[in-house]
Amino acid sequence: MPGIVVVMTTCNRTALLRRTVESILGAGKSIPLPDRMLVVDDASDSPSEIDSILSLIPNITITHNQTKLGVDANTPNALKLAFERWPDADAAVILDSDVVVAVTWLESAQTALQTMKQNTSVAAIQLLNLANLKATEPLSGNSSLLISQTVTKI
């Protein structure tokens, strides 16, 4: 999807990551998969297992931190790496490695990006993918964030 890069961070969450990858691939049966996706593994104990799960997604870039940064540092690090790799990207969708995406997740991101382009005072939009939400699941497990690249340059 032109203009948008998908960024995910993970660390020792293979079962949840597998579920996320399965939902991305399932959504990909209805709409194209993202052509720009970066996953930054925060020094997991089994990086080869992470690679094996993620290798199911075509056109994915996987990076492994040599030392743990923690989620508060790894996410901004992942954004920086993504925008360095794809400097023409307008925005990034940040997915947690425990997200089950809805079929419309990339369409929602594209619509949000258009809103951001039309209203320059909007720097980030939370995308709620409620299609797969169950009453017992936390809302944060089914949301993602679209953030403008201009925010990362401040």
Side-chain angles (χ1 to χ4, degrees), residues 29-147:
K29 292 177 183 174
S30 302
I31 58 169
L33 290 169
D35 59 354
R36 298 172 173 188
M37 186 167 182
L38 173 70
V39 177
V40 180
D41 171 47
D42 199 16
S44 286
D45 297 333
S46 301
S48 60
E49 192 172 357
I50 299 291
D51 289 348
S52 175
I53 294 167
L54 293 172
S55 68
L56 299 172
I57 300 175
N59 301 320
I60 193 165
T61 301
I62 306 166
T63 301
H64 298 278
N65 295 337
Q66 296 303 309
T67 59
K68 283 195 190 331
L69 300 178
V71 70
D72 291 339
N74 196 28
T75 300
N77 175 59
L79 281 170
K80 178 179 178 280
L81 292 172
F83 288 132
E84 286 174 355
R85 180 170 176 88
W86 297 287
D88 61 329
D90 295 315
V93 174
I94 303 170
L95 288 180
D96 285 335
S97 57
D98 64 349
V99 170
V100 175
V101 300
V103 172
T104 59
W105 73 289
L106 282 176
E107 292 170 359
S108 299
Q110 189 64 41
T111 300
L113 177 58
Q114 292 308 316
T115 300
M116 292 167 76
K117 286 182 175 182
Q118 293 167 3
N119 184 350
T120 56
S121 64
V122 177
I125 298 175
Q126 185 170 13
L127 307 170
L128 299 177
N129 299 318
L130 300 177
N132 296 319
L133 185 64
K134 295 183 175 72
T136 57
E137 294 182 81
L139 185 60
S140 61
N142 285 284
S143 66
S144 54
L145 178 69
L146 178 75
I147 187 164

